[in-house]
Amino acid sequence: MAAFLSKTFLSINRHLHDHHARSFSGLGRSKSMEFATRSPRIPRVMSKTSESLSSIIHELQLERRAKLEEEYVEAGTQQQETRLADVWREIHGQDDWVGMLDPMDPLLRSELIRYGEMAQATYDAFDFDPFSKYCGSCRFTRREFFEALGMAQHGYHISRYLFATSNINLPNFFKKSRWPKVWSKNANWIGYVAVSDDETSRRLGRRDITIAWRGTVTRLEWIADLMDYLKPISSNKIPCPDSTVKVESGFLDLYTDKDMDCRYCKFSAREQILTEVKRLLELYRDEEISITITGHSLGSALAILSAYDIVETGLNVLNDCRAVPVSVLSFSGPRVGNVRFKERLNLLGVKVLRVVNVHDIVPKSPGLVFNENASPMVMKLAEGLPWCYCHVGVELALDHTHSPFLKQTGDLSCAHNLEAHLHLLDGYHGKGKRFVLASGRDPALVNKASDFLKDHYLVPPYWRQDENKGMVRSKDGRWMQPERPILDEHHHPDDIHHQLKQLGLASGY
């Protein structure tokens, strides 16, 4: 049924597009069609829950036709096509996204979805099966990563994997292998550094270095870990001239701690990030470069923290004194630090755009009482408390009740789900505007790891899983877990000590 409906949608889409392309062939393309997601397009319509299939298809035809006519008329008023390469600095937050969120800029929407998919990839590639002897690792080598996930069209290659030690006070963030001799009992794979290829760089208008941080996979249990306190960011040897700049201690420990006895975490996540970014900036120093950091949930906090670190250390300033812009595009992230941290981030010029669902409880934590929503007088009095937090950057607030595809549910994890956020982005056009899918991103992806789509769409909940849960049959007929190629990412680059020395981080080795 679902396959038939999908094919029908695509057939309608192609027919209407061909018909109206002929009718409006003299008009230019609207910028909402530029650099859109390359997945198959479906009609941009609202759903109905009680109508027959034939009536739904008829309504699709009428509404799709009206929408196409509206787009082509709008396109005809433009003098020339807007290209991403021409406006990438605005998309990257040069002007704090003023005038781009309401109404929603189509190019910005497309880019947010693209970076959100790169954050989603950290979940899709993570082995969190407690019965897997590789639990806590990435399921793919970095050379096959994007292709294995069906993301080769994104035009990036991974230059380095990132690992963190589990010997910290965020226990619900980690998954551990029961076979530590095969994988590791002290390390978790937490993300990657990727670089745009030549073709994609031309389309983007610059060489883009992307850092993607993984969030937690233990639903919302990790929020209990955020009952901890703020502490000075300089206490973990991150440079900061102001001792009153503080961040949540668990985030800071996750970012800076290491385990000298672990081959994966011999260097902290911070050291892995800084040395790799330094190497890439030197490699592409003659080009236009950007650094874009993304993450969901706890990964959003790590994205903000690492962005601060890159700029505070001056790593983004090239030898010719050019400052490489650093931006964070995060999803459903918690608060990271206090008001002084926010002020310091603004002073350094780090741009942060936070995409949140207003019904999600994670962006409301920590700092449930003392936060940016309290009166200035209260915040002034509470400034010295270890639980006084403040969000940073610009917020794009979405509301999942505006999507006709999603059902009402009491499951808090649905409102936090990253795929649901990307779905909401695809249908968001501005405050008070109708929810209309823009790029044709498949709503079925929402149920990949949740039960959030309305049942009549016939998309099973939690449908994404390995065939036979990863078990294969051996030559003697026994079912077993297949062996994986040994990850070479724990072999840290030969020049890492040199890079650390240049960064002033070489002590202790």
Side-chain angles (χ1 to χ4, degrees), residues 152-195:
Q153 77 279 3
H154 279 60
Y156 283 71
H157 66 271
I158 291 181
S159 66
R160 182 164 185 167
Y161 275 166
L162 304 173
F163 302 91
T165 177
S166 58
N167 298 328
I168 62 169
N169 61 346
L170 283 177
N172 287 316
F173 178 71
F174 290 94
K175 288 286 187 174
K176 296 186 178 182
S177 172
R178 298 178 180 180
W179 291 56
K181 291 183 178 180
V182 176
W183 164 233
S184 172
K185 66 177 181 179
N186 296 325
N188 259 211
W189 179 80
I190 55 168
Y192 59 85
V193 181
V195 186

mmCIF file of all heavy atoms in Angstrom, residues 152-195:
data_model
loop_
_atom_site.group_PDB
_atom_site.id
_atom_site.type_symbol
_atom_site.label_atom_id
_atom_site.label_comp_id
_atom_site.label_asym_id
_atom_site.label_seq_id
_atom_site.Cartn_x
_atom_site.Cartn_y
_atom_site.Cartn_z
ATOM 1 N N ALA A 152 26.172 9.684 -0.370
ATOM 2 C CA ALA A 152 27.299 10.044 -1.226
ATOM 3 C C ALA A 152 27.057 11.361 -1.947
ATOM 4 O O ALA A 152 28.001 12.109 -2.251
ATOM 5 C CB ALA A 152 27.575 8.923 -2.234
ATOM 6 N N GLN A 153 25.782 11.690 -2.201
ATOM 7 C CA GLN A 153 25.456 12.911 -2.937
ATOM 8 C C GLN A 153 25.744 14.171 -2.138
ATOM 9 O O GLN A 153 25.757 15.277 -2.697
ATOM 10 C CB GLN A 153 23.980 12.905 -3.367
ATOM 11 C CG GLN A 153 22.980 13.234 -2.277
ATOM 12 C CD GLN A 153 22.658 12.048 -1.381
ATOM 13 O OE1 GLN A 153 23.239 10.985 -1.543
ATOM 14 N NE2 GLN A 153 21.720 12.223 -0.459
ATOM 15 N N HIS A 154 25.998 14.051 -0.849
ATOM 16 C CA HIS A 154 26.316 15.231 -0.052
ATOM 17 C C HIS A 154 27.666 15.826 -0.438
ATOM 18 O O HIS A 154 27.917 16.996 -0.192
ATOM 19 C CB HIS A 154 26.296 14.887 1.441
ATOM 20 C CG HIS A 154 24.924 14.866 2.043
ATOM 21 N ND1 HIS A 154 23.928 14.010 1.591
ATOM 22 C CD2 HIS A 154 24.355 15.577 3.050
ATOM 23 C CE1 HIS A 154 22.828 14.210 2.289
ATOM 24 N NE2 HIS A 154 23.057 15.158 3.175
ATOM 25 N N GLY A 155 28.534 15.024 -1.012
ATOM 26 C CA GLY A 155 29.786 15.553 -1.540
ATOM 27 C C GLY A 155 30.843 15.858 -0.490
ATOM 28 O O GLY A 155 31.600 16.817 -0.641
ATOM 29 N N TYR A 156 30.908 15.073 0.550
ATOM 30 C CA TYR A 156 31.914 15.235 1.600
ATOM 31 C C TYR A 156 32.702 13.940 1.757
ATOM 32 O O TYR A 156 32.216 12.851 1.440
ATOM 33 C CB TYR A 156 31.267 15.573 2.943
ATOM 34 C CG TYR A 156 30.807 16.997 3.090
ATOM 35 C CD1 TYR A 156 29.698 17.465 2.389
ATOM 36 C CD2 TYR A 156 31.459 17.884 3.939
ATOM 37 C CE1 TYR A 156 29.255 18.772 2.524
ATOM 38 C CE2 TYR A 156 31.023 19.196 4.082
ATOM 39 C CZ TYR A 156 29.924 19.631 3.375
ATOM 40 O OH TYR A 156 29.494 20.928 3.507
ATOM 41 N N HIS A 157 33.912 14.048 2.269
ATOM 42 C CA HIS A 157 34.661 12.869 2.686
ATOM 43 C C HIS A 157 35.132 13.067 4.115
ATOM 44 O O HIS A 157 35.443 14.182 4.542
ATOM 45 C CB HIS A 157 35.858 12.605 1.762
ATOM 46 C CG HIS A 157 36.922 13.659 1.823
ATOM 47 N ND1 HIS A 157 36.912 14.783 1.017
ATOM 48 C CD2 HIS A 157 38.025 13.773 2.621
ATOM 49 C CE1 HIS A 157 37.965 15.535 1.297
ATOM 50 N NE2 HIS A 157 38.654 14.954 2.262
ATOM 51 N N ILE A 158 35.146 11.993 4.882
ATOM 52 C CA ILE A 158 35.515 12.071 6.294
ATOM 53 C C ILE A 158 37.029 12.034 6.427
ATOM 54 O O ILE A 158 37.691 11.136 5.903
ATOM 55 C CB ILE A 158 34.872 10.940 7.095
ATOM 56 C CG1 ILE A 158 33.360 11.172 7.155
ATOM 57 C CG2 ILE A 158 35.456 10.850 8.507
ATOM 58 C CD1 ILE A 158 32.606 10.135 7.945
ATOM 59 N N SER A 159 37.572 13.000 7.126
ATOM 60 C CA SER A 159 39.022 13.063 7.323
ATOM 61 C C SER A 159 39.439 12.458 8.650
ATOM 62 O O SER A 159 40.581 12.025 8.800
ATOM 63 C CB SER A 159 39.508 14.520 7.243
ATOM 64 O OG SER A 159 38.988 15.282 8.313
ATOM 65 N N ARG A 160 38.492 12.416 9.617
ATOM 66 C CA ARG A 160 38.859 11.861 10.912
ATOM 67 C C ARG A 160 37.618 11.497 11.716
ATOM 68 O O ARG A 160 36.611 12.208 11.681
ATOM 69 C CB ARG A 160 39.692 12.867 11.702
ATOM 70 C CG ARG A 160 40.146 12.320 13.060
ATOM 71 C CD ARG A 160 41.265 13.133 13.640
ATOM 72 N NE ARG A 160 41.752 12.539 14.868
ATOM 73 C CZ ARG A 160 42.877 12.893 15.463
ATOM 74 N NH1 ARG A 160 43.630 13.842 14.941
ATOM 75 N NH2 ARG A 160 43.264 12.329 16.581
ATOM 76 N N TYR A 161 37.696 10.367 12.420
ATOM 77 C CA TYR A 161 36.686 10.002 13.393
ATOM 78 C C TYR A 161 37.064 10.577 14.756
ATOM 79 O O TYR A 161 38.243 10.796 15.057
ATOM 80 C CB TYR A 161 36.577 8.483 13.506
ATOM 81 C CG TYR A 161 35.667 7.835 12.482
ATOM 82 C CD1 TYR A 161 35.685 6.459 12.281
ATOM 83 C CD2 TYR A 161 34.778 8.590 11.727
ATOM 84 C CE1 TYR A 161 34.853 5.845 11.359
ATOM 85 C CE2 TYR A 161 33.940 7.997 10.805
ATOM 86 C CZ TYR A 161 33.986 6.623 10.623
ATOM 87 O OH TYR A 161 33.147 6.027 9.713
ATOM 88 N N LEU A 162 36.040 10.776 15.596
ATOM 89 C CA LEU A 162 36.234 11.336 16.931
ATOM 90 C C LEU A 162 35.795 10.326 17.986
ATOM 91 O O LEU A 162 34.778 9.641 17.814
ATOM 92 C CB LEU A 162 35.431 12.623 17.093
ATOM 93 C CG LEU A 162 35.711 13.730 16.066
ATOM 94 C CD1 LEU A 162 34.723 14.878 16.253
ATOM 95 C CD2 LEU A 162 37.142 14.230 16.190
ATOM 96 N N PHE A 163 36.578 10.247 19.064
ATOM 97 C CA PHE A 163 36.287 9.317 20.149
ATOM 98 C C PHE A 163 36.356 10.052 21.480
ATOM 99 O O PHE A 163 37.076 11.033 21.630
ATOM 100 C CB PHE A 163 37.288 8.158 20.150
ATOM 101 C CG PHE A 163 37.310 7.377 18.866
ATOM 102 C CD1 PHE A 163 38.177 7.715 17.837
ATOM 103 C CD2 PHE A 163 36.454 6.304 18.679
ATOM 104 C CE1 PHE A 163 38.200 7.007 16.653
ATOM 105 C CE2 PHE A 163 36.465 5.591 17.493
ATOM 106 C CZ PHE A 163 37.329 5.934 16.473
ATOM 107 N N ALA A 164 35.599 9.549 22.446
ATOM 108 C CA ALA A 164 35.632 10.122 23.791
ATOM 109 C C ALA A 164 35.716 9.000 24.805
ATOM 110 O O ALA A 164 35.254 7.871 24.557
ATOM 111 C CB ALA A 164 34.393 10.972 24.051
ATOM 112 N N THR A 165 36.289 9.309 25.951
ATOM 113 C CA THR A 165 36.390 8.314 27.014
ATOM 114 C C THR A 165 35.106 8.279 27.831
ATOM 115 O O THR A 165 34.445 9.304 28.027
ATOM 116 C CB THR A 165 37.582 8.601 27.940
ATOM 117 O OG1 THR A 165 37.588 7.651 29.002
ATOM 118 C CG2 THR A 165 37.505 10.001 28.524
ATOM 119 N N SER A 166 34.759 7.097 28.293
ATOM 120 C CA SER A 166 33.540 6.936 29.081
ATOM 121 C C SER A 166 33.799 7.098 30.572
ATOM 122 O O SER A 166 32.895 6.926 31.387
ATOM 123 C CB SER A 166 32.940 5.541 28.829
ATOM 124 O OG SER A 166 33.877 4.522 29.159
ATOM 125 N N ASN A 167 35.027 7.424 30.962
ATOM 126 C CA ASN A 167 35.361 7.562 32.378
ATOM 127 C C ASN A 167 35.019 8.954 32.906
ATOM 128 O O ASN A 167 35.857 9.657 33.446
ATOM 129 C CB ASN A 167 36.855 7.274 32.593
ATOM 130 C CG ASN A 167 37.208 5.852 32.207
ATOM 131 O OD1 ASN A 167 36.390 4.947 32.347
ATOM 132 N ND2 ASN A 167 38.411 5.652 31.711
ATOM 133 N N ILE A 168 33.766 9.378 32.689
ATOM 134 C CA ILE A 168 33.338 10.703 33.128
ATOM 135 C C ILE A 168 31.970 10.593 33.784
ATOM 136 O O ILE A 168 31.398 9.502 33.875
ATOM 137 C CB ILE A 168 33.264 11.696 31.945
ATOM 138 C CG1 ILE A 168 32.231 11.211 30.928
ATOM 139 C CG2 ILE A 168 34.612 11.870 31.277
ATOM 140 C CD1 ILE A 168 31.895 12.238 29.889
ATOM 141 N N ASN A 169 31.434 11.724 34.208
ATOM 142 C CA ASN A 169 30.174 11.709 34.955
ATOM 143 C C ASN A 169 28.945 11.894 34.073
ATOM 144 O O ASN A 169 27.978 12.523 34.459
ATOM 145 C CB ASN A 169 30.203 12.798 36.031
ATOM 146 C CG ASN A 169 30.358 14.195 35.444
ATOM 147 O OD1 ASN A 169 30.705 14.333 34.273
ATOM 148 N ND2 ASN A 169 30.104 15.224 36.247
ATOM 149 N N LEU A 170 28.973 11.340 32.871
ATOM 150 C CA LEU A 170 27.795 11.301 32.001
ATOM 151 C C LEU A 170 27.543 9.851 31.599
ATOM 152 O O LEU A 170 27.628 9.491 30.414
ATOM 153 C CB LEU A 170 28.005 12.171 30.761
ATOM 154 C CG LEU A 170 27.876 13.685 30.946
ATOM 155 C CD1 LEU A 170 28.199 14.399 29.633
ATOM 156 C CD2 LEU A 170 26.503 14.091 31.435
ATOM 157 N N PRO A 171 27.229 8.968 32.537
ATOM 158 C CA PRO A 171 27.130 7.535 32.243
ATOM 159 C C PRO A 171 26.071 7.177 31.220
ATOM 160 O O PRO A 171 26.225 6.214 30.478
ATOM 161 C CB PRO A 171 26.821 6.913 33.611
ATOM 162 C CG PRO A 171 26.207 8.027 34.404
ATOM 163 C CD PRO A 171 26.917 9.267 33.957
ATOM 164 N N ASN A 172 24.986 7.925 31.162
ATOM 165 C CA ASN A 172 23.915 7.581 30.232
ATOM 166 C C ASN A 172 24.218 7.947 28.787
ATOM 167 O O ASN A 172 23.416 7.679 27.899
ATOM 168 C CB ASN A 172 22.609 8.255 30.673
ATOM 169 C CG ASN A 172 22.014 7.600 31.897
ATOM 170 O OD1 ASN A 172 21.969 6.384 31.982
ATOM 171 N ND2 ASN A 172 21.582 8.397 32.858
ATOM 172 N N PHE A 173 25.360 8.595 28.568
ATOM 173 C CA PHE A 173 25.737 8.942 27.198
ATOM 174 C C PHE A 173 26.414 7.764 26.504
ATOM 175 O O PHE A 173 26.441 7.686 25.286
ATOM 176 C CB PHE A 173 26.679 10.148 27.217
ATOM 177 C CG PHE A 173 27.171 10.573 25.859
ATOM 178 C CD1 PHE A 173 26.315 11.175 24.967
ATOM 179 C CD2 PHE A 173 28.478 10.354 25.471
ATOM 180 C CE1 PHE A 173 26.754 11.571 23.715
ATOM 181 C CE2 PHE A 173 28.925 10.742 24.225
ATOM 182 C CZ PHE A 173 28.058 11.359 23.349
ATOM 183 N N PHE A 174 26.951 6.828 27.264
ATOM 184 C CA PHE A 174 27.832 5.818 26.695
ATOM 185 C C PHE A 174 27.174 4.451 26.584
ATOM 186 O O PHE A 174 26.328 4.077 27.376
ATOM 187 C CB PHE A 174 29.108 5.705 27.532
ATOM 188 C CG PHE A 174 30.006 6.898 27.401
ATOM 189 C CD1 PHE A 174 29.932 7.933 28.306
ATOM 190 C CD2 PHE A 174 30.898 7.004 26.354
ATOM 191 C CE1 PHE A 174 30.735 9.045 28.188
ATOM 192 C CE2 PHE A 174 31.707 8.112 26.217
ATOM 193 C CZ PHE A 174 31.621 9.135 27.133
ATOM 194 N N LYS A 175 27.623 3.711 25.574
ATOM 195 C CA LYS A 175 27.301 2.303 25.407
ATOM 196 C C LYS A 175 28.614 1.532 25.394
ATOM 197 O O LYS A 175 29.561 1.930 24.721
ATOM 198 C CB LYS A 175 26.552 2.073 24.089
ATOM 199 C CG LYS A 175 25.126 2.592 24.089
ATOM 200 C CD LYS A 175 24.231 1.690 24.929
ATOM 201 C CE LYS A 175 22.777 2.082 24.814
ATOM 202 N NZ LYS A 175 21.880 1.151 25.509
ATOM 203 N N LYS A 176 28.661 0.432 26.136
ATOM 204 C CA LYS A 176 29.921 -0.284 26.269
ATOM 205 C C LYS A 176 29.821 -1.701 25.717
ATOM 206 O O LYS A 176 28.783 -2.351 25.821
ATOM 207 C CB LYS A 176 30.352 -0.328 27.744
ATOM 208 C CG LYS A 176 30.647 1.047 28.333
ATOM 209 C CD LYS A 176 31.204 0.932 29.737
ATOM 210 C CE LYS A 176 31.546 2.302 30.302
ATOM 211 N NZ LYS A 176 32.144 2.226 31.654
ATOM 212 N N SER A 177 30.930 -2.157 25.144
ATOM 213 C CA SER A 177 31.005 -3.496 24.592
ATOM 214 C C SER A 177 31.195 -4.521 25.705
ATOM 215 O O SER A 177 31.892 -4.273 26.689
ATOM 216 C CB SER A 177 32.181 -3.588 23.605
ATOM 217 O OG SER A 177 32.391 -4.934 23.204
ATOM 218 N N ARG A 178 30.563 -5.660 25.523
ATOM 219 C CA ARG A 178 30.768 -6.759 26.461
ATOM 220 C C ARG A 178 32.024 -7.548 26.101
ATOM 221 O O ARG A 178 32.409 -8.461 26.809
ATOM 222 C CB ARG A 178 29.543 -7.685 26.448
ATOM 223 C CG ARG A 178 28.255 -6.990 26.884
ATOM 224 C CD ARG A 178 27.056 -7.922 26.802
ATOM 225 N NE ARG A 178 25.826 -7.238 27.212
ATOM 226 C CZ ARG A 178 24.624 -7.811 27.243
ATOM 227 N NH1 ARG A 178 24.494 -9.078 26.885
ATOM 228 N NH2 ARG A 178 23.555 -7.129 27.622
ATOM 229 N N TRP A 179 32.620 -7.207 24.976
ATOM 230 C CA TRP A 179 33.833 -7.865 24.504
ATOM 231 C C TRP A 179 34.923 -6.803 24.361
ATOM 232 O O TRP A 179 35.308 -6.445 23.247
ATOM 233 C CB TRP A 179 33.600 -8.530 23.154
ATOM 234 C CG TRP A 179 32.684 -9.710 23.196
ATOM 235 C CD1 TRP A 179 31.406 -9.754 23.666
ATOM 236 C CD2 TRP A 179 32.976 -11.029 22.727
ATOM 237 N NE1 TRP A 179 30.873 -10.993 23.521
ATOM 238 C CE2 TRP A 179 31.810 -11.806 22.946
ATOM 239 C CE3 TRP A 179 34.089 -11.630 22.131
ATOM 240 C CZ2 TRP A 179 31.743 -13.148 22.610
ATOM 241 C CZ3 TRP A 179 34.021 -12.962 21.790
ATOM 242 C CH2 TRP A 179 32.867 -13.717 22.028
ATOM 243 N N PRO A 180 35.431 -6.255 25.451
ATOM 244 C CA PRO A 180 36.383 -5.142 25.363
ATOM 245 C C PRO A 180 37.671 -5.483 24.612
ATOM 246 O O PRO A 180 38.332 -4.582 24.119
ATOM 247 C CB PRO A 180 36.671 -4.803 26.832
ATOM 248 C CG PRO A 180 36.300 -6.032 27.600
ATOM 249 C CD PRO A 180 35.160 -6.650 26.854
ATOM 250 N N LYS A 181 37.991 -6.773 24.505
ATOM 251 C CA LYS A 181 39.197 -7.133 23.755
ATOM 252 C C LYS A 181 39.001 -6.912 22.254
ATOM 253 O O LYS A 181 39.965 -6.731 21.512
ATOM 254 C CB LYS A 181 39.573 -8.596 24.017
ATOM 255 C CG LYS A 181 40.071 -8.850 25.441
ATOM 256 C CD LYS A 181 40.501 -10.295 25.614
ATOM 257 C CE LYS A 181 41.034 -10.534 27.023
ATOM 258 N NZ LYS A 181 41.452 -11.939 27.226
ATOM 259 N N VAL A 182 37.745 -6.930 21.816
ATOM 260 C CA VAL A 182 37.444 -6.714 20.402
ATOM 261 C C VAL A 182 37.331 -5.228 20.102
ATOM 262 O O VAL A 182 37.870 -4.724 19.123
ATOM 263 C CB VAL A 182 36.139 -7.437 20.011
ATOM 264 C CG1 VAL A 182 35.778 -7.139 18.560
ATOM 265 C CG2 VAL A 182 36.292 -8.934 20.229
ATOM 266 N N TRP A 183 36.600 -4.520 20.961
ATOM 267 C CA TRP A 183 36.422 -3.084 20.724
ATOM 268 C C TRP A 183 37.107 -2.316 21.840
ATOM 269 O O TRP A 183 38.316 -2.194 21.885
ATOM 270 C CB TRP A 183 34.931 -2.753 20.589
ATOM 271 C CG TRP A 183 34.570 -1.301 20.713
ATOM 272 C CD1 TRP A 183 33.651 -0.759 21.540
ATOM 273 C CD2 TRP A 183 35.135 -0.189 19.999
ATOM 274 N NE1 TRP A 183 33.598 0.606 21.394
ATOM 275 C CE2 TRP A 183 34.491 0.986 20.459
ATOM 276 C CE3 TRP A 183 36.114 -0.063 19.025
ATOM 277 C CZ2 TRP A 183 34.802 2.255 19.990
ATOM 278 C CZ3 TRP A 183 36.432 1.207 18.547
ATOM 279 C CH2 TRP A 183 35.777 2.342 19.021
ATOM 280 N N SER A 184 36.376 -1.779 22.780
ATOM 281 C CA SER A 184 36.971 -1.020 23.870
ATOM 282 C C SER A 184 35.957 -0.875 24.982
ATOM 283 O O SER A 184 34.780 -0.658 24.727
ATOM 284 C CB SER A 184 37.414 0.362 23.396
ATOM 285 O OG SER A 184 37.813 1.166 24.488
ATOM 286 N N LYS A 185 36.418 -0.980 26.225
ATOM 287 C CA LYS A 185 35.520 -0.777 27.356
ATOM 288 C C LYS A 185 35.524 0.675 27.828
ATOM 289 O O LYS A 185 34.711 1.058 28.664
ATOM 290 C CB LYS A 185 35.898 -1.693 28.512
ATOM 291 C CG LYS A 185 37.254 -1.391 29.135
ATOM 292 C CD LYS A 185 37.525 -2.294 30.319
ATOM 293 C CE LYS A 185 38.881 -1.964 30.961
ATOM 294 N NZ LYS A 185 39.138 -2.822 32.126
ATOM 295 N N ASN A 186 36.433 1.494 27.305
ATOM 296 C CA ASN A 186 36.572 2.866 27.791
ATOM 297 C C ASN A 186 36.298 3.931 26.748
ATOM 298 O O ASN A 186 36.372 5.115 27.044
ATOM 299 C CB ASN A 186 37.991 3.086 28.344
ATOM 300 C CG ASN A 186 38.267 2.229 29.559
ATOM 301 O OD1 ASN A 186 37.385 1.987 30.363
ATOM 302 N ND2 ASN A 186 39.494 1.755 29.686
ATOM 303 N N ALA A 187 36.005 3.533 25.497
ATOM 304 C CA ALA A 187 35.860 4.515 24.422
ATOM 305 C C ALA A 187 34.502 4.417 23.754
ATOM 306 O O ALA A 187 33.897 3.352 23.688
ATOM 307 C CB ALA A 187 36.960 4.327 23.374
ATOM 308 N N ASN A 188 34.032 5.534 23.263
ATOM 309 C CA ASN A 188 32.844 5.604 22.415
ATOM 310 C C ASN A 188 33.155 6.477 21.201
ATOM 311 O O ASN A 188 33.836 7.503 21.318
ATOM 312 C CB ASN A 188 31.662 6.205 23.163
ATOM 313 C CG ASN A 188 30.664 5.168 23.663
ATOM 314 O OD1 ASN A 188 29.477 5.429 23.763
ATOM 315 N ND2 ASN A 188 31.146 3.972 23.993
ATOM 316 N N TRP A 189 32.624 6.055 20.058
ATOM 317 C CA TRP A 189 32.702 6.875 18.846
ATOM 318 C C TRP A 189 31.668 7.982 18.967
ATOM 319 O O TRP A 189 30.491 7.724 19.247
ATOM 320 C CB TRP A 189 32.411 6.005 17.628
ATOM 321 C CG TRP A 189 32.424 6.717 16.319
ATOM 322 C CD1 TRP A 189 33.511 7.074 15.585
ATOM 323 C CD2 TRP A 189 31.277 7.134 15.551
ATOM 324 N NE1 TRP A 189 33.116 7.697 14.415
ATOM 325 C CE2 TRP A 189 31.763 7.751 14.378
ATOM 326 C CE3 TRP A 189 29.907 7.059 15.748
ATOM 327 C CZ2 TRP A 189 30.904 8.271 13.403
ATOM 328 C CZ3 TRP A 189 29.049 7.575 14.790
ATOM 329 C CH2 TRP A 189 29.552 8.166 13.625
ATOM 330 N N ILE A 190 32.080 9.240 18.803
ATOM 331 C CA ILE A 190 31.153 10.348 19.053
ATOM 332 C C ILE A 190 30.986 11.290 17.867
ATOM 333 O O ILE A 190 30.322 12.315 17.980
ATOM 334 C CB ILE A 190 31.577 11.178 20.271
ATOM 335 C CG1 ILE A 190 33.008 11.681 20.127
ATOM 336 C CG2 ILE A 190 31.378 10.415 21.539
ATOM 337 C CD1 ILE A 190 33.375 12.740 21.154
ATOM 338 N N GLY A 191 31.563 10.979 16.721
ATOM 339 C CA GLY A 191 31.355 11.858 15.578
ATOM 340 C C GLY A 191 32.499 11.832 14.600
ATOM 341 O O GLY A 191 33.320 10.908 14.598
ATOM 342 N N TYR A 192 32.568 12.885 13.772
ATOM 343 C CA TYR A 192 33.567 12.899 12.708
ATOM 344 C C TYR A 192 33.840 14.320 12.241
ATOM 345 O O TYR A 192 33.069 15.253 12.510
ATOM 346 C CB TYR A 192 33.093 12.055 11.529
ATOM 347 C CG TYR A 192 31.786 12.500 10.903
ATOM 348 C CD1 TYR A 192 31.759 13.491 9.919
ATOM 349 C CD2 TYR A 192 30.574 11.940 11.284
ATOM 350 C CE1 TYR A 192 30.565 13.902 9.339
ATOM 351 C CE2 TYR A 192 29.373 12.337 10.715
ATOM 352 C CZ TYR A 192 29.375 13.321 9.738
ATOM 353 O OH TYR A 192 28.191 13.729 9.159
ATOM 354 N N VAL A 193 34.950 14.459 11.546
ATOM 355 C CA VAL A 193 35.284 15.693 10.835
ATOM 356 C C VAL A 193 35.251 15.365 9.351
ATOM 357 O O VAL A 193 35.861 14.372 8.914
ATOM 358 C CB VAL A 193 36.684 16.215 11.224
ATOM 359 C CG1 VAL A 193 36.986 17.521 10.486
ATOM 360 C CG2 VAL A 193 36.787 16.411 12.734
ATOM 361 N N ALA A 194 34.535 16.166 8.566
ATOM 362 C CA ALA A 194 34.410 15.919 7.134
ATOM 363 C C ALA A 194 34.708 17.194 6.357
ATOM 364 O O ALA A 194 34.583 18.305 6.884
ATOM 365 C CB ALA A 194 33.004 15.419 6.786
ATOM 366 N N VAL A 195 35.102 17.015 5.089
ATOM 367 C CA VAL A 195 35.463 18.145 4.231
ATOM 368 C C VAL A 195 34.735 18.012 2.905
ATOM 369 O O VAL A 195 34.620 16.911 2.347
ATOM 370 C CB VAL A 195 36.988 18.192 3.977
ATOM 371 C CG1 VAL A 195 37.357 19.443 3.201
ATOM 372 C CG2 VAL A 195 37.757 18.122 5.285
#
